[in-house]
Amino acid sequence: DNNYTVTVTATDSIGNVSPPVTFNLDVKNNPPVVSVSGCPVSIRTNANYSCTVTGSDADGHSFQIGVAGLPTGLTFNNQTNVISGSAPLPAGIYPIIVTATDQYSAVSAPVTLNLHINTFCGDGAVESPNMEGTGGPSNNGYESCDASSGIATSPSASSQTKQYACTSGCAPTGGWCGDNVINGAEQCDGTAGVATSPAGSSFTKQYSCSASCQETGGWYGDGVINGSEQCDGTNFGGKTCVSFGFSYGALSCNAGIINTSGCTSAVCGNGVVEPTEGCDFGANNGKGYGCAGNCQPSSGFWCSSNSCCTQSNTVAASGWVWVSGPNAGQPAVGIEIDFYKSPNPYAATCSNGSTNASPNLCNYNPANSGGAVLVGSCATDQNGNCTLSSPLPNGIYIETGPTSVSLTLISVPFTVCYDASGHATVY
């Protein structure tokens, strides 16, 4: 407003002037008025914004609107009186001051627009709380996740509060390593996805599950005995058919279970020399014929029946006989038989005190051999037989091996016999 003092006088035609009259004149200018009533006061950070500020002047004067306090991203066009901006906008509460000034510099009363640019469940960032106060497990704005933010990217990083996915309400979902359900990148979880038997196992389904929900513990087919396996492929943990009471054969593995169908037990006494047996004379086992009752060769025996012989070589001669066998387990093939003649056979004595004329076995003492002379020899063929190149004189003895010699008097033709292990007997 402006106040003016006005003085009025009158002058006639001859120049006379009236006394002055004074009065006060007030010239009023009403200021313009602005309004933001049509402007949104709350938006989200991902929203575009547009607001038209309105104004009026009661005196019909022209006016100009001004805006202060705009956040980054918003601008004011003083030609259209529009506040606008495009997402994303910075979160916060912004007091925007709007005024209008008319052509006579009359300024309107300021109007404040408190603009809320809100964070919210769905903006991709985890807030605790967000500005809208909604979303999260309790719907109070305290978010556990938001879109891909705050979710577990691996089983080892997961938990009940940080799962593999997020709901639209910013709450965790999708499971975690430890919930006994296979989710996300898990290969297993607790007992889920774990093999309970060798037949059900594989590289992708093993016998146990690690703390990070990865398969571990092995499987049937990896060549290692794991879980409830008794075997794996050709790995039997050091066991053989003998471990299961059999004599020989081959174990097989069937879905982690040892199969002994390929194992066989030797039958001692059936007359057939089987693996693990050194000999088998049938009913004559253990009767002093060279094969003990457990089907292992015996030595230092006297044989009176040719039923004890599996291979033989008959020599028509009589005299001193020195009988011995090769080392245990030495095969009969290629055994050399040497025939000796002693000028004084009675010079040999028996350590058991028997006389040389008796038919008892005794240890031969080479020191008392009486100067024995080799009078013939032959080497056995693969059947244990050999043929002498010339007849033998009476009074000879036979050497068939390097150890365990025995000496006895034979006055009748004799036969040298060999069992499967090359042990010699004589009858």
Side-chain angles (χ1 to χ4, degrees):
D1 293 345
N2 291 292
N3 184 269
Y4 301 92
T5 299
V6 179
T7 300
V8 179
T9 61
T11 303
D12 63 15
S13 60
I14 62 174
N16 295 317
V17 179
S18 69
V21 177
T22 301
F23 64 94
N24 291 325
L25 176 64
D26 286 330
V27 179
K28 288 195 173 288
N29 181 17
N30 295 306
V33 176
V34 291
S35 174
V36 292
S37 60
C39 293
V41 296
S42 179
I43 62 170
R44 290 178 168 179
T45 54
N46 67 340
N48 297 330
Y49 186 79
S50 180
C51 160
T52 300
V53 180
T54 60
S56 62
D57 191 297
D59 301 322
H61 300 153
S62 63
F63 59 87
Q64 184 78 37
I65 295 175
V67 176
L70 290 175
T72 301
L74 294 184
T75 60
F76 176 69
N77 187 328
N78 61 9
Q79 301 298 314
T80 61
N81 294 332
V82 173
I83 300 172
S84 64
S86 299
L89 297 174
I93 300 175
Y94 301 95
I96 301 172
I97 308 301
V98 180
T99 58
T101 304
D102 69 7
Q103 64 190 77
Y104 297 105
S105 299
V107 179
S108 68
V111 175
T112 301
L113 169 64
N114 287 312
L115 178 61
H116 293 244
I117 302 178
N118 295 329
T119 57
F120 61 98
C121 173
D123 61 8
V126 179
E127 290 101 11
S128 295
N130 61 46
M131 293 174 66
E132 290 187 346
T134 60
S138 301
N139 197 29
N140 58 0
Y142 286 81
E143 304 170 353
S144 294
C145 54
D146 197 322
S148 61
S149 180
I151 67 171
T153 57
S154 67
S156 60
S158 69
S159 67
Q160 187 171 3
T161 58
K162 189 175 183 179
Q163 301 185 31
Y164 300 120
C166 190
T167 69
S168 59
C170 295
T173 188
W176 70 95
C177 179
D179 62 359
N180 286 315
V181 179
I182 299 175
N183 300 296
E186 299 172 356
Q187 297 177 350
C188 53
D189 196 323
T191 58
V194 171
T196 58
S197 67
S201 69
S202 66
F203 175 73
T204 57
K205 190 175 185 179
Q206 301 186 30
Y207 297 120
S208 58
C209 191
S210 72
S212 58
C213 290
Q214 302 301 299
E215 294 286 350
T216 187
W219 70 95
Y220 177 64
D222 63 0
V224 180
I225 297 176
N226 300 296
S228 61
E229 297 173 357
Q230 298 176 355
C231 54
D232 197 317
T234 58
N235 183 357
F236 297 97
K239 294 180 180 179
T240 64
C241 286
V242 176
S243 306
F244 297 91
F246 298 96
S247 300
Y248 60 95
L251 298 172
S252 59
C253 192
N254 183 14
I257 306 299
I258 292 178
N259 186 338
T260 60
S261 62
C263 297
T264 304
S265 290
V267 180
C268 182
N270 64 359
V272 178
V273 179
E274 299 167 288
T276 72
E277 293 181 343
C279 57
D280 196 328
F281 290 173
N284 288 320
N285 289 339
K287 294 184 178 181
Y289 298 153
C291 193
N294 61 355
C295 285
Q296 299 303 316
S298 59
S299 60
F301 50 83
W302 179 265
C303 185
S304 61
S305 170
N306 63 6
S307 64
C308 71
C309 300
T310 58
Q311 307 292 340
S312 65
N313 172 49
T314 301
V315 179
S318 63
W320 294 98
V321 180
W322 177 12
V323 181
S324 68
N327 294 328
Q330 184 176 340
V333 177
I335 294 176
E336 181 179 349
I337 305 176
D338 295 330
F339 300 88
Y340 289 87
K341 171 74 174 178
S342 174
N344 182 13
Y346 291 97
T349 59
C350 295
S351 61
N352 63 3
S354 63
T355 64
N356 291 338
S358 69
N360 296 322
L361 294 177
C362 65
N363 292 328
Y364 171 62
N365 186 352
N368 298 321
S369 64
V373 178
L374 179 66
V375 294
S377 67
C378 62
T380 63
D381 60 19
Q382 62 181 359
N383 295 316
N385 298 319
C386 70
T387 304
L388 295 170
S389 58
S390 60
L392 297 173
N394 291 337
I396 62 133
Y397 58 90
I398 302 173
E399 177 186 309
T400 59
T403 60
S404 304
V405 297
S406 299
L407 180 68
T408 189
L409 177 65
I410 303 291
S411 59
V412 295
F414 56 85
T415 299
V416 178
C417 305
Y418 303 91
D419 62 24
S421 296
H423 289 76
T425 57
V426 66
Y427 66 91

